[in-house]
């Protein structure tokens, strides 16, 4: 309600120089930048300079093929289906995140793809590429650089004098905290994001005070910028092609938490995290910024909500008990989509273990009971709904709804073929034709690897059999990468012979590698 309850800087802005954090310290806010890019696009749409429901090629006619097909609204909702060069495709192209992508790399890579993650509008997968393209559309429509448009049209009218766009961690900015990545021995490593072209996907820098002013504007208490119609569009939930409604809006998430609606978006860069959250009904605004990669911003923001609104909130949603369902902790696979799910035991200190879900060997989220259904919600790819079998039952398949689309998952066998049995048919070279990259499946002792063959260092995926044609893929790299790149690999056969591989991971679906020997 406009009263500052807690406002403080903690810890060091620079471990290297011993300077402290204050509320005036600038920090990167990562993907919390995304809804600012959406506001920029809607401001131009209201002026008739940008059609957010027309294909991207209307404003950027040089974008041919699938890259020019999505609408700007689909880009903002993460429903474009476009592949994200920041994901495994970047690793395949550059062999590791030690390579820093220069300006223009995102669009240059994206132009080469002829395949999508999924049809437009079908479902959600978080995609930084969409907001990168949105930023370029804003530049094209306004005639200004993206950073200058934000400054003139958003930051200055809002009085956010310490907020700006910083496209590269190689650039210097007064008053900004250094980014820190922890080493196992307790020391620190400098965080540098592997791109010099961070725009609307995650390039903003701000302060606690500036962001509190912005959050109040967002929820309408002190609105200085944006019409009611603009903010109505910003907060409209996504409807998928199935008719199902998701929680993601335009760079913001709206969901229920303990009986109240929260609007929020997190952000992460290499060496920092952020969470912006508001509870509009109770005018509670929270902004947290960490200049360390292990900073638990989203979880801490919810603890603030729990504390301040303790007398108002309903009990926490019931997480699915693990007890009696331990037999479900196995691998489930859909042979049509090549998607791999694995429930696992999540240990909560002082409480009984509960069920959570892995998606392609990446943590998805807790499995919670909502309105009689079991739901796993993840910011990476929306919600997955399913009905758990009765305690003690061991079904051969699970019926799952992903973005409203029904899928049948099969239980993979407990006993799987050995690497030595599977290797002879898999060894050899494979090619990602869209990026003109070759890699090698090889044996190293008794371990099977998909080697990305970097010019130097090590970049490879360890393939662990889960079935005849399904593998867990565990990424191993001698260079630092900002998030785990684990995934799964499915084998495609024709007349009994291996003809290719399908790679899936957190933001990539069915990337095709064709066998070339």
């Amino acid at each position: 309600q406009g009263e500052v309850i807690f406002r403080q800087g903690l810890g060091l802005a620079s471990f290297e120089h011993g300077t402290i954090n204050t509320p005036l310290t600038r920090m990167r806010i990562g993907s919390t930048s995304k809804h600012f890019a959406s506001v920029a696009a809607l401001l131009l749409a209201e002026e008739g300079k940008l059609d957010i429901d027309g294909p991207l090629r209307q404003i950027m006619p040089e974008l041919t093929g699938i890259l020019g097909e999505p609408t700007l609204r689909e880009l903002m909702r993460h429903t474009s289906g476009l592949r994200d060069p920041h994901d495994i495709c970047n690793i395949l192209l550059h062999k590791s995140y030690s390579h820093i992508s220069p300006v223009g790399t995102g669009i240059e890579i994206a132009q080469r793809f002829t395949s999508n993650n999924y049809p437009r509008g079908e479902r959600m997968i978080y995609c930084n590429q969409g907001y990168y393209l949105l930023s370029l559309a804003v530049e094209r429509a306004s005639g200004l650089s993206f950073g200058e448009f934000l400054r003139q049209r958003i930051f200055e009218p809002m009085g956010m004098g310490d907020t700006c766009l910083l496209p590269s961690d190689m650039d210097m900015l007064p008053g900004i905290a250094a980014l820190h990545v922890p080493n196992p021995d307790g020391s620190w490593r400098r965080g540098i994001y592997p791109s010099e072209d961070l725009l609307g996907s995650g390039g903003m820098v701000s302060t606690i005070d500036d962001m509190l002013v912005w959050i109040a504007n967002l929820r309408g208490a002190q609105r200085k910028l944006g019409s009611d119609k603009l903010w109505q569009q910003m907060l409209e939930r996504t409807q998928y092609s199935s008719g199902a409604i998701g929680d993601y809006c335009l760079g913001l998430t709206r969901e229920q938490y303990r009986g109240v609606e929260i609007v929020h978006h997190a952000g992460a860069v290499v060496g920092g995290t952020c969470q912006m959250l508001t509870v509009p009904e109770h005018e509670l605004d929270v902004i947290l910024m960490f200049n360390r990669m292990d900073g638990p911003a989203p979880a801490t923001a919810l603890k603030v909500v729990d504390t301040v609104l303790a007398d108002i909130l309903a009990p926490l949603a019931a997480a699915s008990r693990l007890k009696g369902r331990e037999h479900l902790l196995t691998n489930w696979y859909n042979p049509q989509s090549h998607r791999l799910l694995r429930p696992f035991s999540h240990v909560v200190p002082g409480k009984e273990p509960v069920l959570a879900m892995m998606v392609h060997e990446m943590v998805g989220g807790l499995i919670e009971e909502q309105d009689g259904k079991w739901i796993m919600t993840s910011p990476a790819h929306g919600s997955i709904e399913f009905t758990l079998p009765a305690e003690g039952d061991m079904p051969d398949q699970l019926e799952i709804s992903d973005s409203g689309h029904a899928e049948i998952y099969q239980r993979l066998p407990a006993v799987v073929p050995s690497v030595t049995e599977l290797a002879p048919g898999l060894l050899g070279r494979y090619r990602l034709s869209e990026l003109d990259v070759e890699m090698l499946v090889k044996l190293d002792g008794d371990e099977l690897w998909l080697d990305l063959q970097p010019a130097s260092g090590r970049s490879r995926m360890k393939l662990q059999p889960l079935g005849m044609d399904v593998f867990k893929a565990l990424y191993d790299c001698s260079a630092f990468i900002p998030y785990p790149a684990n995934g799964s690999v499915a084998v495609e056969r024709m007349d009994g012979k291996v003809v290719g591989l399908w790679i899936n991971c957190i933001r990539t679906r069915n990337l095709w590698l064709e066998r070339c020997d």
Side-chain angles (χ1 to χ4, degrees), residues 28 100 166-173 190-193 195-196:
R28 281 207 175 273
I100 297 179
L166 189 69
S168 171
D169 284 330
M170 306 304 288
D171 295 330
M172 294 185 179
L173 185 70
R190 183 176 288 105
I192 297 178
Y193 199 83
S195 172
E196 294 216 63

Side-chain angles (χ1 to χ4, degrees), residues 240-287:
Y240 306 112
S241 60
S242 65
I245 304 295
D247 290 333
Y248 203 83
C249 307
L250 302 187
L252 294 166
T253 298
R254 284 177 62 194
E255 60 181 332
Q256 291 293 312
Y257 175 74
R258 299 189 62 182
V260 298
E261 183 178 67
I262 59 175
V263 179
H264 63 94
H265 206 289
V269 291
V270 181
T273 66
C274 171
Q275 175 70 318
M276 180 196 75
L277 181 151
T278 182
V279 187
E281 180 184 356
H282 299 284
E283 300 180 44
L284 173 61
D285 304 329
V286 183
I287 179 72

Side-chain angles (χ1 to χ4, degrees), residues 5 49 71 110 148 197 199-200 202 217 265 286 298 475:
I5 299 173
K49 296 179 180 178
T71 68
E148 184 61 17
D197 210 12
L199 299 177
N217 184 84
H265 206 289
V286 183
Y475 193 64

Side-chain angles (χ1 to χ4, degrees), residues 1-24:
Q1 297 176 338
E3 178 186 351
V4 177
I5 299 173
F6 184 86
R7 172 186 173 273
Q8 190 169 337
L10 303 166
L12 295 175
S14 170
F15 176 82
E16 187 174 21
H17 298 291
T19 54
I20 64 169
N21 281 318
T22 77
L24 300 179

Side-chain angles (χ1 to χ4, degrees), residues 74-383:
E74 288 169 339
L75 298 179
M76 291 185 272
R77 288 175 167 174
H78 297 301
T79 58
S80 69
L82 294 179
R83 298 202 183 281
D84 192 340
H86 290 275
D87 201 32
I88 198 169
C89 307
N90 195 307
I91 298 170
L92 289 173
L93 182 67
H94 300 305
K95 309 303 172 74
S96 81
Y97 261 88
S98 59
H99 175 98
I100 297 179
S101 303
V103 173
T105 298
I107 197 166
E108 290 169 2
I109 297 175
Q111 286 272 41
R112 300 169 67 176
F113 281 109
T114 58
S115 64
N116 274 354
N117 279 329
Y118 49 81
R120 289 172 38 224
E122 183 179 277
R123 60 192 78 200
M124 170 195 170
I125 295 182
Y126 199 87
C127 180
N128 284 304
Q129 177 71 0
Y131 277 84
Y132 172 74
L133 294 172
L134 180 70
S135 306
L136 299 183
V138 169
E139 291 186 339
R140 187 69 58 88
S142 68
L144 300 171
S145 71
F146 184 66
E148 184 61 17
F149 183 88
L150 292 179
R151 186 186 71 82
Q152 290 186 21
R153 298 296 305 276
I154 297 179
F155 304 150
E156 284 192 351
M158 288 296 303
M160 298 169 65
D162 291 320
T163 303
C164 67
L165 185 78
L166 189 69
S168 171
D169 284 330
M170 306 304 288
D171 295 330
M172 294 185 179
L173 185 70
I176 189 171
L179 299 168
H180 299 79
V181 179
N183 288 320
D185 63 359
S187 63
W188 297 96
R189 183 179 176 87
R190 183 176 288 105
I192 297 178
Y193 199 83
S195 172
E196 294 216 63
D197 210 12
L198 273 174
L199 299 177
S201 64
M204 277 179 49
V205 170
S206 192
T207 63
I208 293 296
D209 290 351
D210 276 8
M211 287 300 296
L212 286 174
V213 169
W214 176 252
I215 300 172
N217 184 84
L218 185 157
R219 62 175 168 80
Q222 303 169 27
R223 187 154 289 164
K224 299 178 183 178
L225 187 141
S227 66
D228 289 343
K229 181 180 179 181
L230 182 150
W231 285 102
Q232 183 180 0
Q233 290 188 75
M234 285 289 297
L235 294 169
E236 183 180 6
R237 291 185 172 92
T238 298
Q239 183 174 30
Y240 306 112
S241 60
S242 65
I245 304 295
D247 290 333
Y248 203 83
C249 307
L250 302 187
L252 294 166
T253 298
R254 284 177 62 194
E255 60 181 332
Q256 291 293 312
Y257 175 74
R258 299 189 62 182
V260 298
E261 183 178 67
I262 59 175
V263 179
H264 63 94
H265 206 289
V269 291
V270 181
T273 66
C274 171
Q275 175 70 318
M276 180 196 75
L277 181 151
T278 182
V279 187
E281 180 184 356
H282 299 284
E283 300 180 44
L284 173 61
D285 304 329
V286 183
I287 179 72
L288 292 110
M289 304 174 187
F290 288 82
N291 62 324
R292 52 188 291 171
M293 192 158 191
D294 54 351
T300 306
L302 290 178
K303 288 182 180 180
V304 173
V305 175
D306 291 341
T307 303
V308 178
L309 301 181
D311 297 334
I312 298 170
L313 299 177
L316 281 167
S320 173
R321 290 187 304 109
L322 176 64
K323 187 176 181 180
R325 296 190 171 98
E326 291 85 354
H327 56 288
L328 294 174
L329 305 185
T330 187
N331 293 290
W332 301 86
Y333 179 67
N334 181 287
Q336 285 74 46
S337 66
H338 310 118
R339 199 169 191 190
L340 179 68
L341 304 178
R342 178 168 63 86
F344 69 97
S345 172
H346 176 69
V347 179
V348 181
K351 298 181 180 179
E352 289 188 17
V354 296
L355 280 175
M357 181 74 80
M358 288 274 194
V359 180
H360 295 302
E361 288 306 306
M362 300 289 291
V363 174
L366 292 177
I367 299 173
E368 297 181 339
E369 185 175 6
Q370 298 180 22
D371 301 324
K373 298 179 180 178
W374 295 102
I375 299 177
M376 188 280 289
T377 300
S378 165
H381 41 69
S383 296

Side-chain angles (χ1 to χ4, degrees), residues 22-96:
T22 77
L24 300 179
T25 301
R26 288 169 153 177
M27 289 196 189
R28 281 207 175 273
I29 64 171
S31 289
T32 310
S33 308
K34 285 184 167 64
H35 76 288
F36 285 88
S38 296
V39 169
L42 291 181
L43 287 173
L44 289 167
E46 288 189 335
E47 296 168 3
K49 296 179 180 178
L50 204 54
D51 179 4
I52 66 169
D53 290 308
L56 181 59
R57 66 167 56 94
Q58 280 187 355
I59 189 70
M60 301 180 69
E62 70 275 20
L63 300 185
T64 57
I66 60 173
L67 189 62
E69 293 177 0
T71 68
L72 299 186
R73 196 184 299 272
E74 288 169 339
L75 298 179
M76 291 185 272
R77 288 175 167 174
H78 297 301
T79 58
S80 69
L82 294 179
R83 298 202 183 281
D84 192 340
H86 290 275
D87 201 32
I88 198 169
C89 307
N90 195 307
I91 298 170
L92 289 173
L93 182 67
H94 300 305
K95 309 303 172 74
S96 81

